[in-house]
Every structure is written in C-alpha cells, then in structure tokens.
C-alpha cells in the first residue's frame, strides 16, 4: 500500500487525507497562503511558495514573504518530498536542522487551484490557492473540514497579499509621518 520514503521509513495516514495527489500538477507553479494556523516563526504577509518538481522526485520550494518588521521581501529555499505512494503526505525540509511532516487534507483534483495542508499533529494548517484569493464557499468548506478534525479554527489567520511596492510605500509614508511628529 504505502511505499517507503527516501529515508526508508513507512508512513501511514493518521487520518483521512486527499485520495491521491498528482505530483506533476501539485509541484508546478506558485501557491499562495490564503489563511493558516501558522508555525510560531511564520509571517502572515504575502506568503507564497513556488514549487519545481525535480527528476529525483523532490520538490524545490522558493518560499517568499514580506518581513513584517522591516517590510522587505525575503526568499527562502526549501525542499520537500512525498512520504507515501498517494503523494498526500510530505516531509518538508525547512532548514538544515528542521523538518515538518504534513498531509494534504483536501485538494482540487480537477484544476489543482486550491488545497488544505495540515501538520500531522493537528497544530498547524494552511489553506492555499493558485491566486491570492479563494472563493468564499470553498474556503468555508475547507475550514469546516479542519474544524471537524479538531483544528483550533478560532486561531485561523487570514494572510494579506499586497504588492511589495504598495507595502514599501506605506512603510515609507509611516516613517516620514513619524519623523514629522
């Protein structure tokens, strides 16, 4: 049923996840974070991940966000790979010392336009889409699924997606106003 991961450990789904994920469709292009229960170090401003599927089956990730303190764009390079043959469980290498295992709870299997991703300990989750917005009824359905699984949806945060120039302009205007006052 499940195949072994690259590290040689067999992984089974801890709860029902998406039936099967097509890596070619999933791991190509950009996903925007619409809302999330974030990791402690994760911002909520202009978050996106651009995926590129390598010939070795690993997915290269270019994680972009706007630093909420100095309003500069940051880019981190990360990697992830499937942990089972359904491709609905992934190990995400955040940095050299930190990995996170997560499952794809639900995904648009027709157009791969949206998905809900969850940590297997049910502490963190992400609703993501190919655009910076998501249809309300789809988002509400995904939030309902998260709630039924026991996620603390009261902690779900909306992510803001603004153009980098707009954020920089607002930050500069705020700094100029502070100097006048």
């Amino acid at each position: 049923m499940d195949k072994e991961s690259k590290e040689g450990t067999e992984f089974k789904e801890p709860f029902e996840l998406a039936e099967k994920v097509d890596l070619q469709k999933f791991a190509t292009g950009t996903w925007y974070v619409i809302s999330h229960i974030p990791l402690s170090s994760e911002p909520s401003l202009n978050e996106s991940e651009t995926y590129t599927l390598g010939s070795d089956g690993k997915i290269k990730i270019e994680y972009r966000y706007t630093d909420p303190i100095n309003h500069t764009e940051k880019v981190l390079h990360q990697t992830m790979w499937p942990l089972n043959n359904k491709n609905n469980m992934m190990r995400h290498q955040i940095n050299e010392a930190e990995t996170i295992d997560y499952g794809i709870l639900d995904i648009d299997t027709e157009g791969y336009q949206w998905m809900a991703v969850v940590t297997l300990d049910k502490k963190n989750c992400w609703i993501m889409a190919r655009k910076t917005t998501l249809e309300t009824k789809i988002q509400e359905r995904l939030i309902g699924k998260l709630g039924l699984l026991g996620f603390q949806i009261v902690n779900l945060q909306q992510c803001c997606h603004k153009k980098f120039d707009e954020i920089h302009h607002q930050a500069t205007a705020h700094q100029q106003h502070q100097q006048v006052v």
Side-chain angles (χ1 to χ4, degrees):
M1 200 174 218
D2 289 335
K3 69 179 181 182
E4 292 188 0
S5 75
K6 304 271 188 232
E7 278 69 37
T9 306
E10 188 172 315
F11 289 86
K12 303 224 183 279
E13 296 174 30
F15 43 84
E16 189 175 340
L17 296 171
E19 184 61 34
K20 180 141 178 78
V21 176
D22 181 331
L23 272 188
Q24 293 291 333
K25 294 177 182 176
F26 166 79
T28 305
T30 301
W31 290 97
Y32 296 92
V33 178
I34 303 301
S35 58
H36 60 169
I37 299 175
L39 301 170
S40 60
S41 61
E42 192 174 3
S44 293
L45 189 56
N46 288 338
E47 285 185 90
S48 69
E49 295 181 355
T50 300
Y51 297 165
T52 306
L53 181 60
S55 58
D56 61 356
K58 288 190 174 185
I59 301 161
K60 292 182 172 92
I61 303 168
E62 187 174 270
Y63 172 63
R64 293 180 173 273
Y65 67 96
T66 301
D67 185 299
I69 302 203
N70 61 22
H71 303 284
T72 57
E73 184 180 44
K74 302 288 184 183
V75 179
L76 302 175
H77 296 278
Q78 303 169 339
T79 306
M80 72 177 158
W81 57 93
L83 295 176
N84 64 9
N85 63 356
K86 293 181 179 181
N87 300 323
N88 63 3
M89 292 177 59
M90 301 279 175
R91 174 154 296 153
H92 189 144
Q93 183 82 43
I94 295 172
N95 56 47
E96 286 190 31
E98 187 178 8
T99 62
I100 210 169
D101 291 346
Y102 67 83
I104 300 169
L105 179 65
D106 198 356
I107 192 162
D108 169 23
T109 56
E110 290 180 24
Y112 281 75
Q113 296 300 303
W114 51 262
M115 68 176 165
V117 177
V118 299
T119 55
L120 302 180
D121 62 8
K122 297 184 182 180
K123 290 183 181 176
N124 308 96
C125 62
W126 298 262
I127 294 176
M128 302 175 78
R130 295 295 188 170
K131 298 178 182 176
T132 58
T133 59
L134 183 61
E135 206 175 303
T136 303
K137 72 177 188 176
I138 295 171
Q139 190 165 357
E140 287 174 352
R141 187 175 66 75
L142 295 173
I143 291 169
K145 277 184 118 169
L146 292 167
L148 288 172
L149 271 177
F151 283 87
Q152 299 298 312
I153 58 173
V154 296
N155 296 328
L156 202 62
Q157 300 173 14
Q158 288 295 119
C159 291
C160 177
H161 290 280
K162 292 184 177 184
K163 291 182 179 175
F164 183 74
D165 292 338
E166 184 181 334
I167 293 166
H168 180 69
H169 175 73
Q170 288 174 348
T172 303
H174 178 71
Q175 288 172 345
Q176 289 172 346
H177 176 73
Q178 293 293 354
Q179 290 173 352
V180 173
V181 175

